[in-house]
Amino acid sequence: MDKLIINGGCPLKGEVRISGSKNATLPILAATLLTDETCVIRNVPRLLDTHTMVKLLKSLGKRVDWDKDRIIVMSNGPVNPVADYKLVSTMRGSICVLGPLLTKLGEAKVSLPGGCVIGVRPVDLHQKGIEALGAKVTTEGGYILARAKKLKGARVYLAGASGPSVLGTANIMMAATLAQGETIIECAACEPEVEELANFLNEMGARIRGHGSPRIVIQGVKRLHGADYRMCFDRIEGGTFVLLAAMARANFVIRDIDYSQLTALDDVLGHIGVRVQAERNLVRVKAPKVLKPFSITTYPYPGFPTDLQAQYTAIMSLTNGVSVIRDTVFPDRFMHIAELSRMGARIRREGGSAIVEGVKALSGAPVTASDLRASAALVMAGLVAKGRTEIRRVYHLDRGYENIDKKLIDLGACISREKE
Ligand code: EPZ
């Protein structure tokens, strides 16, 4: 396993390019199961998670070529309906092969993804959605088994106690593309990644409208054809670099970012005294010497993203007051608190909230990454802390941030990667 060594305080300048979206790429790769024709997907990030999804597609019978940032998915004989535990258990996003397999083959056997450090991660809404479309669903031996000769369009309300489900919406939208008749998803997830998936499906000949809003309408079609598609930028990587620039008081340029998808972050930055200059596809950040504290609550899109909560907790640890950070989407997503506290942050957890008392400075320390966004928060803290920080288990970071050390070194960070 690798670890990152960071010497804090090196000034960051220059320019960073945001990679393609991980959370749009995963369901779009799953959507290639809906056709026997060739699909070309461009601007795909080289990540552990995208590698896992490629392995999963190959295990299901697809041929997949990957050169630089372009993935080509082709038929290679019959597709098998079983998504194996070994692969699915390493990446929750694999659950989004359920809908495509079921609607294309009439059956699917997908391992339950299990929980992870940010929460239980149930799939009851996925199951509710495919049952509404007429599937017979059972769970046995840690697998979801779903069968349906032909799915039938239906109206389905797809939100649970914590609001809409991103991958639940993705799964039902994909299943509905080849169902008979019209499907209406009420209280659908509005995330840009869901919109991106719908755009890709429509390129394949699907008939989807309302994506990006809480009501998505899908007219089933007989078949879908191949498509050639360029992935959008990674909204969360973009937001992470904006928060890093603010925390490090650095005004490097962030390129290939659609800042209009980060309005909740922009609003919060205004409250803490940070100004962001956004033009076309690039952004510059101007931060004051002292940041003001500001309390937030995470919500489904367009609310403040839970995937930026850990990074925001890191920046709030260096203000001149107290802020409360509440996560309503994943109330247990606070593994980063203990590690940031090792660096001198003053944070305590109260249920689904973190109470952060700002300090003047953080100091470097050996810390351990626990999940993707927590590790990003630790990197941000290490880059501004006094002294040396060692971050163990950085494979968590490699799941969702492409070439992160190279991007940071190119900005002037004093960072290196070593074998643990
Ligand atoms: C997606 O996960 C993202 N992952 C997550 O990003 C992100 O945090 C999450 O959406 C919320 O925005 C990918 O897109 C690959 P949900 P997903 O279903 O779809 C509850 C990252 O860091 N729920 O929208 O799995 C659930 O417990 C990752 O890139 C049910 O109750 O999340 C949670 O409280 C982490 N029943 C809430 O809904 C269900 O059947 C939102 O979960 C499904 C979910």
Side-chain angles (χ1 to χ4, degrees), residues 74-240:
M74 296 152 277
S75 266
N76 192 21
V79 170
N80 97 65
V82 181
D84 192 70
Y85 174 71
K86 278 196 306 303
L87 282 168
V88 174
S89 59
T90 63
M91 183 186 67
R92 173 178 164 78
S94 320
I95 188 71
C96 61
V97 300
L98 175 66
L101 288 173
L102 173 64
T103 201
K104 185 75 171 62
L105 306 177
E107 59 174 326
K109 180 178 176 185
V110 179
S111 165
L112 283 161
C116 63
V117 290
I118 68 172
V120 175
R121 316 299 295 272
V123 290
D124 57 305
L125 296 174
H126 299 245
Q127 185 164 336
K128 174 185 178 183
I130 56 175
E131 282 175 336
L133 297 180
K136 291 274 165 291
V137 184
T138 55
T139 49
E140 57 187 70
Y143 281 82
I144 287 191
L145 303 169
R147 274 199 175 69
K149 264 170 75 68
K150 182 75 182 159
L151 292 175
K152 286 195 182 32
R155 173 192 287 265
V156 55
Y157 178 80
L158 207 62
S162 314
S165 164
V166 172
L167 290 182
T169 302
N171 248 333
I172 305 320
M173 194 163 67
M174 289 190 279
T177 56
L178 297 177
Q180 215 155 22
E182 178 178 84
T183 296
I184 299 176
I185 304 176
E186 300 284 10
C187 211
C190 302
E191 271 68 6
E193 293 75 29
V194 171
E195 251 189 292
E196 193 74 4
L197 170 62
N199 294 337
F200 177 70
L201 291 167
N202 282 341
E203 282 291 304
M204 295 173 78
R207 291 173 54 198
I208 301 172
R209 60 182 201 280
H211 36 298
S213 84
R215 168 179 292 187
I216 302 179
V217 182
I218 306 108
Q219 292 298 343
V221 293
K222 287 239 173 313
R223 57 185 290 282
L224 295 178
H225 49 72
D228 186 326
Y229 196 79
R230 181 175 168 75
M231 193 59 57
C232 63
F233 87 109
D234 191 304
R235 175 172 63 100
I236 302 303
E237 185 193 14
T240 303

Side-chain angles (χ1 to χ4, degrees), residues 296-315:
I296 63 150
T297 299
T298 70
Y299 289 110
Y301 193 86
F304 191 95
T306 175
D307 291 351
L308 290 177
Q309 181 262 101
Q311 302 91 311
Y312 187 71
T313 305
I315 192 173

